[in-house]
Amino acid sequence: MTEFRIGIDLGGTKTEVILLNGDSQELFRTRIPTVRNDYAATLRDIAGLVQQAEAAAGQAHLPVGIGIPGTISRKTGCVKNANATWLNGKPFQQDLSGHLQRPVQMTNDANCLAVSEAVDGAGRGYDLVFAGILGTGCGAGLVYRGIPLVGPNGVAGEWGHNPLPWTAAPELEVRTCYCGKRGCQETFLSGTGLCLSYRLASNRELQGHEIVALARARDALAAQVLDSYIDQLARGLAAIVNVIDPDVIVLGGGASNIDEIYNRIPERLSRYVFGGECDTPVKRALHGDSSGVRGAAWLNPLHNPG
C-alpha cells in the first residue's frame, strides 16, 4: 500500500491541507478561510479538509500532522500562546484526535515552517536555521541539522512576544498585544503590525499590499512607514543574531514577500548586531506559504525527506 500523509496548517486567515506521498511529493492541496472564534467549527473544518485529502488518496485513516499558531502545554495538554485565541485553554490535540478517530501530531506552525525550509528549502545545507513568520502574527522556529528545537516550555525560537529592541518606551506603550503586554514585536513585525503602523501614522486603514504599492509609487508617508518597518525588522532579527547567531535566517508569511526586505536588511542588520557587522544571510522561504503545511505533514515520520 502506498504511503501517504496529511498536513494541516491552521493560520490566522486560511487553513490549508496537503497530501504527500512517501517521497514527499504533493498530490493534493487546498485551502479555506479560517473560521474565527468558533472552536467547534474549527474542528469540523479540519475534519472536512482531511476527508478531501483522503478522497484524493483513495485511502482512509491516514496519518495527520497539524501546525497551529500556538503550542501545547506539557502541564495541561491544552493550547497556550495562540493568537487564534479561541484555541487557548482547549485540549485541541485530544479533541481533534477524537474527532478524526486517530492520533494527531501537533506542533507550532513556525516549527513546521522551519523544518520544511531546513530540509529542502531556503535553509537547506545550513546547520542552525532560524525561521520567522511575518504573517497575521509573528512566530519563529529553530531547527538544528533538521531537528526542531522546542524546549521544555514549547517556546524555543519564539521572538514575537519580546519587546522590540532599541525602541522608545512611548512607541511600545501604544501597541497593545493579545497576550496582555505592550510593545511586543508581533505588534510591529507581523503583517498586521505593518498595517497598524500605517494607521497610527495616517489614521487610515490599508492592507499591507496597498501600503507597499503606495510606497513603490513614491507616496512619502507609505514609503516612510515601509522603511521604518524594515528597520524594526532589522532590530528584531539582530537580537536573534546576538543571542543564537544562526547560520541562516529564513522568512515566511505574507509580509515576507516584500522584496524591499531583502534589499535593505543586510545593511540594517550590521547597524544593530554586536560588533557592527553581520554575515548572516536572510532568505525568503523557498516554499512560500506552503512551507508550514509541508512541515506539518512531516510530523509523521513515515519517511525521512532528507
Side-chain angles (χ1 to χ4, degrees):
M1 181 178 291
T2 304
E3 288 184 344
F4 296 107
R5 53 185 156 180
I6 294 170
I8 301 282
D9 181 27
L10 174 59
T13 58
K14 54 87 180 172
T15 301
E16 187 171 18
V17 64
I18 195 170
L19 174 70
L20 300 181
N21 66 13
D23 294 319
S24 293
Q25 295 173 320
E26 177 185 321
L27 303 178
F28 173 80
R29 178 163 57 120
T30 192
R31 62 176 57 177
I32 59 174
T34 295
V35 63
R36 300 188 64 82
N37 302 314
D38 191 330
Y39 183 69
T42 300
L43 292 169
R44 289 196 301 270
D45 281 356
I46 291 173
L49 290 173
V50 169
Q51 288 176 351
Q52 290 184 55
E54 290 181 331
Q59 293 183 26
H61 297 287
L62 297 177
V64 175
I66 178 168
I68 64 170
T71 192
I72 304 297
S73 167
R74 286 188 183 182
K75 291 184 177 180
T76 66
C78 295
V79 175
K80 65 176 183 177
N81 301 338
N83 61 11
T85 53
W86 63 95
L87 300 179
N88 288 327
K90 297 290 199 302
F92 187 45
Q93 186 171 18
Q94 177 182 329
D95 287 348
L96 188 58
S97 294
H99 214 70
L100 297 176
Q101 298 185 332
R102 77 198 77 171
V104 173
Q105 301 298 316
M106 188 174 293
T107 192
N108 179 261
D109 54 1
N111 293 339
C112 295
L113 165 74
V115 168
S116 176
E117 290 296 323
V119 170
D120 69 349
R124 185 173 188 172
Y126 295 92
D127 283 343
L128 183 57
V129 178
F130 176 85
I133 295 179
L134 308 176
T136 305
C138 180
L142 276 174
V143 169
Y144 182 68
R145 296 183 176 177
I147 304 299
L149 306 179
V150 178
N153 300 297
V155 296
E158 288 295 350
W159 64 327
H161 295 280
N162 296 293
L164 184 68
W166 302 289
T167 302
E171 291 184 68
L172 299 175
E173 283 298 314
V174 298
R175 296 181 186 247
T176 58
C177 186
Y178 78 89
C179 75
K181 296 182 174 61
R182 294 177 181 269
C184 290
Q185 290 187 141
E186 180 161 309
T187 67
F188 290 89
L189 306 184
S190 63
T192 309
L194 173 61
C195 297
L196 174 58
S197 294
Y198 187 80
R199 179 168 63 82
L200 291 172
S202 68
N203 202 31
R204 293 176 60 203
E205 297 276 0
L206 288 182
Q207 298 296 310
H209 67 89
E210 295 173 316
I211 298 166
V212 173
L214 279 177
R216 290 172 180 169
R218 300 187 178 180
D219 177 271
L221 181 58
Q224 179 184 359
V225 169
L226 179 59
D227 192 66
S228 294
Y229 173 81
I230 292 171
D231 195 73
Q232 292 158 356
L233 178 59
R235 283 182 255 160
L237 292 177
I240 295 298
V241 174
N242 284 344
V243 175
I244 62 173
D245 207 2
D247 295 302
V248 65
I249 293 170
V250 179
L251 299 178
S256 73
N257 293 315
I258 300 173
D259 292 336
E260 287 81 351
I261 289 174
Y262 307 95
N263 297 328
R264 302 181 197 174
I265 275 287
E267 184 272 333
R268 301 292 178 95
L269 274 175
S270 295
R271 296 184 190 180
Y272 297 111
V273 169
F274 183 55
E277 60 184 31
C278 183
D279 293 328
T280 309
V282 179
K283 299 186 175 187
R284 192 193 320 246
L286 181 64
H287 298 295
D289 62 359
S290 293
S291 254
V293 74
R294 293 171 79 253
W298 289 347
L299 294 178
N300 292 284
L302 297 179
H303 169 77
N304 182 0

